[in-house]
Amino acid sequence: MTDINTLSPKNVRLKIRNAEYTSQTSGLCKGFTQANLVVLPKKYVIDFFAFAQRNPKPCPILDVTEKGDPHPKLIAPDADVRTDMPKYRVYEKGELIGEYTDILNFWNEEMYAFLLGCSFTFENALLNANIPVRHIEEKRNVPMYITSIECVPSGVFRGPLVVSMRPIPYQLIVKAVQVTSRFPQVHGAPVHIGNPKEIGIKDIDKPDFGDPVTIKDGEVPIFWACGVTPQAVAMKAKPDIMITHAPGHMFISDVRDENYSIL
Amino acid sequence: MTDINTLSPKNVRLKIRNAEYTSQTSGLCKGFTQANLVVLPKKYVIDFFAFAQRNPKPCPILDVTEKGDPHPKLIAPDADVRTDMPKYRVYEKGELIGEYTDILNFWNEEMYAFLLGCSFTFENALLNANIPVRHIEEKRNVPMYITSIECVPSGVFRGPLVVSMRPIPYQLIVKAVQVTSRFPQVHGAPVHIGNPKEIGIKDIDKPDFGDPVTIKDGEVPIFWACGVTPQAVAMKAKPDIMITHAPGHMFISDVRDENYSIL
């Protein structure tokens, strides 16, 4: 049997499409960019587009499909966003109505799919620079926090910035800023370094999403804008229907991470 | 009388609003970012937004107003895009119908204003790095060329990439790439270095827009994506109405150039 870790993005997507793979995508197709999904009907699209433009750090758009077209032509032209992710969540008026392995029954001609950059890309860059990523070491989900920083609103879309946190040894902080600055399309440089209270985080050991991780002596918590932000904001806007990926069950693109570095 | 070169962006915009200043904006409010304007009615906005997302080098969006709202809240909240630029061009079905010093008579509740990054920002960065900018030295318009590189289309919006050219001494090419790479939101790194024929430019002395400039011995032509691209593409799409700035008569924002550097 073929080891899935050796397959190309296209072949992994085919396995997912055929329901032969239904788990999280972390670690698959190393070096290829994975993306968050937000599907919305046409009437919300201009406002969501403008929300992303106004808040590029949490909402880096990698691709947007044409109306009713499920193919992300920029990042994986032969993929189908309705079937090629292992698990989806469907929301009606902001309420989760279920998890599905495809969204063929929910898709219609009015829908647009937004594919948004994800922190996997810059975590690979950190690891390549010998910067430790604690939640990977501890096999947990990255800790995420709702901050006191408000996103710039757009139409019905408004809400606080959500950040992810990685503890970094103080002698590697500058390097971590440099490495992630190279990738503005996948959250880019940190939004905050140090004292969590400065951005409204009361207890670093109690993340709002994900799991807490160990912060060792000599390490400083560094916070990056998180792709959960647009989903949280869209959910609060209670659109008639919204579809996202299930946490960790991402879209695997044909684009290599390095393609998104600007230096 | 106050020298206009010493005024703040806000006060220059007020002079423009009151028709006390109607000339080109080049050189005004040094250090503050100037922007290209494209106004379109709602029915074209999703496709134009997606065109910009797919072609970020020629179409870096700095701000998009809300429907019918003339205030660019991100880059100059108290400005009014209908009155605060010295000269506008109005197109109907792709045909220029006239130049105006305000667009109050053309604006309506269905309109969105896109403010797009402009090369003035990275030219300041080049000058600050002691890299010569020939068309400024020769007091000409920057030479611009239609290339053989097709933009990624979106709905009705499609067409070739337009580039601007600056001759750079060979020993400063690396520096010019570095300096402009820092500014991905204002066209960023060059799209081509050297032989014009590689990108479909037949005669470097005959630009499609702007003026030719001298290329001295030991200099190499360097090409950057140009903000004329989205205007040219939008014009070809023949929207019912489209409004742009007149060439060189830009929008002056409250944002400092350095704000757009990612490093």
Side-chain angles (χ1 to χ4, degrees):
Chain A
M1 197 182 136
T2 324
D3 178 0
I4 191 153
N5 288 303
T6 66
L7 294 180
S8 70
K10 180 174 178 166
N11 286 326
V12 171
R13 290 197 305 265
L14 281 177
K15 275 197 177 296
I16 292 170
R17 189 181 300 179
N18 297 329
E20 292 164 33
Y21 186 87
T22 56
S23 308
Q24 297 209 8
T25 53
S26 173
L28 295 184
C29 301
K30 206 162 160 45
F32 289 91
T33 295
Q34 299 198 18
N36 298 300
L37 176 75
V38 174
V39 173
L40 286 168
K42 183 176 179 186
K43 71 176 180 180
Y44 303 103
V45 165
I46 293 178
D47 285 344
F48 191 71
F49 233 138
F51 184 81
Q53 190 278 328
R54 288 170 196 173
N55 301 282
K57 282 201 151 185
C59 313
I61 299 179
L62 302 183
D63 203 351
V64 186
T65 57
E66 304 268 338
K67 184 159 79 82
D69 178 353
H71 306 294
K73 294 207 186 83
L74 225 52
I75 64 171
D78 66 6
D80 187 323
V81 295
R82 300 171 303 178
T83 54
D84 292 2
M85 302 173 74
K87 205 178 286 174
Y88 300 84
R89 286 184 168 180
V90 179
Y91 297 85
E92 284 179 4
K93 304 259 182 221
E95 301 256 329
L96 179 67
I97 64 160
E99 289 195 337
Y100 303 87
T101 55
D102 72 66
I103 53 169
L104 292 167
N105 290 336
F106 296 97
W107 185 265
N108 66 47
E109 288 306 304
E110 288 293 302
M111 284 184 168
Y112 287 77
F114 288 83
L115 293 149
L116 302 159
C118 133
S119 56
F120 289 174
T121 303
F122 77 73
E123 286 179 353
N124 285 339
L126 289 170
L127 292 169
N128 288 340
N130 287 321
I131 298 170
V133 179
R134 184 62 32 77
H135 65 276
I136 296 179
E137 292 171 359
E138 297 187 338
K139 297 192 196 311
R140 297 183 186 174
N141 285 323
V142 69
M144 291 166 274
Y145 306 86
I146 299 169
T147 70
S148 55
I149 303 167
E150 276 297 304
C151 294
V152 185
S154 168
V156 294
F157 300 106
R158 59 189 62 234
L161 175 69
V162 179
V163 293
S164 60
M165 187 278 286
R166 292 159 193 80
I168 306 285
Y170 71 88
Q171 74 276 19
L172 290 175
I173 294 174
V174 168
K175 191 75 187 165
V177 171
Q178 290 170 328
V179 164
T180 55
S181 294
R182 295 177 59 226
F183 293 92
Q185 281 180 284
V186 285
H187 304 311
V191 292
H192 182 63
I193 295 174
N195 188 352
K197 291 194 172 53
E198 288 288 334
I199 54 171
I201 298 171
K202 294 201 184 89
D203 188 344
I204 197 75
D205 294 322
K206 292 187 179 151
D208 295 294
F209 313 100
D211 305 316
V213 296
T214 311
I215 303 177
K216 299 179 187 170
D217 280 352
E219 290 183 341
V220 177
I222 314 277
F223 301 89
W224 280 268
C226 177
V228 164
T229 310
Q231 288 193 358
V233 160
M235 213 174 306
K236 267 181 60 178
K238 303 190 193 305
D240 304 337
I241 184 164
M242 172 175 76
I243 304 169
T244 71
H245 64 288
H249 298 68
M250 319 290 283
F251 180 80
I252 303 174
S253 80
D254 292 337
V255 180
R256 284 185 188 274
D257 290 334
E258 272 301 316
N259 188 64
Y260 290 115
S261 79
I262 54 96
L263 272 186
Chain B
M1 197 181 136
T2 323
D3 179 0
I4 191 152
N5 288 302
T6 66
L7 294 180
S8 70
K10 180 174 179 168
N11 285 326
V12 172
R13 290 195 306 264
L14 281 177
K15 276 197 175 294
I16 292 170
R17 189 181 301 179
N18 297 328
E20 292 164 33
Y21 186 86
T22 55
S23 308
Q24 297 209 9
T25 53
S26 173
L28 295 185
C29 300
K30 206 160 160 46
F32 288 92
T33 295
Q34 300 198 17
N36 298 300
L37 175 75
V38 173
V39 173
L40 286 168
K42 183 176 181 188
K43 72 175 179 180
Y44 303 103
V45 166
I46 293 178
D47 284 344
F48 191 71
F49 232 139
F51 184 82
Q53 190 278 327
R54 288 170 196 172
N55 301 282
K57 283 200 150 185
C59 313
I61 299 179
L62 303 183
D63 203 351
V64 186
T65 56
E66 304 268 339
K67 185 158 78 81
D69 179 352
H71 306 294
K73 294 206 187 84
L74 224 51
I75 65 172
D78 66 5
D80 186 323
V81 296
R82 301 170 303 178
T83 55
D84 292 2
M85 302 172 74
K87 204 178 287 174
Y88 301 84
R89 286 184 168 180
V90 178
Y91 297 85
E92 284 178 5
K93 304 262 183 215
E95 301 256 331
L96 179 67
I97 64 160
E99 290 195 337
Y100 303 88
T101 55
D102 71 67
I103 54 170
L104 292 166
N105 289 335
F106 296 97
W107 185 265
N108 66 47
E109 287 307 304
E110 288 294 301
M111 284 184 169
Y112 288 77
F114 289 83
L115 293 149
L116 302 158
C118 134
S119 57
F120 288 174
T121 303
F122 77 72
E123 286 178 353
N124 285 340
L126 289 170
L127 292 170
N128 287 340
N130 286 321
I131 297 169
V133 179
R134 184 60 34 77
H135 66 276
I136 296 179
E137 292 172 358
E138 298 187 338
K139 298 193 196 312
R140 298 183 185 174
N141 286 323
V142 68
M144 292 165 273
Y145 307 86
I146 299 169
T147 70
S148 55
I149 303 167
E150 277 297 303
C151 294
V152 184
S154 168
V156 294
F157 300 106
R158 60 189 59 235
L161 174 70
V162 179
V163 294
S164 60
M165 187 277 287
R166 291 158 194 81
I168 306 285
Y170 71 88
Q171 73 276 19
L172 291 175
I173 294 174
V174 168
K175 192 72 187 168
V177 171
Q178 289 170 328
V179 164
T180 55
S181 294
R182 296 177 59 227
F183 293 92
Q185 280 180 285
V186 285
H187 304 311
V191 292
H192 181 63
I193 295 173
N195 189 353
K197 292 195 171 51
E198 289 287 335
I199 54 172
I201 298 171
K202 293 200 185 90
D203 187 346
I204 197 76
D205 294 321
K206 293 189 179 149
D208 295 295
F209 314 101
D211 305 316
V213 296
T214 312
I215 303 177
K216 299 179 188 170
D217 280 351
E219 290 183 342
V220 177
I222 314 276
F223 300 89
W224 279 268
C226 177
V228 164
T229 311
Q231 288 193 358
V233 160
M235 213 174 304
K236 267 181 60 177
K238 301 189 193 303
D240 304 337
I241 184 164
M242 172 175 75
I243 304 168
T244 71
H245 65 288
H249 298 69
M250 319 290 285
F251 180 79
I252 303 173
S253 80
D254 292 337
V255 180
R256 284 185 188 274
D257 289 335
E258 273 300 316
N259 189 62
Y260 290 114
S261 80
I262 54 96
L263 271 185

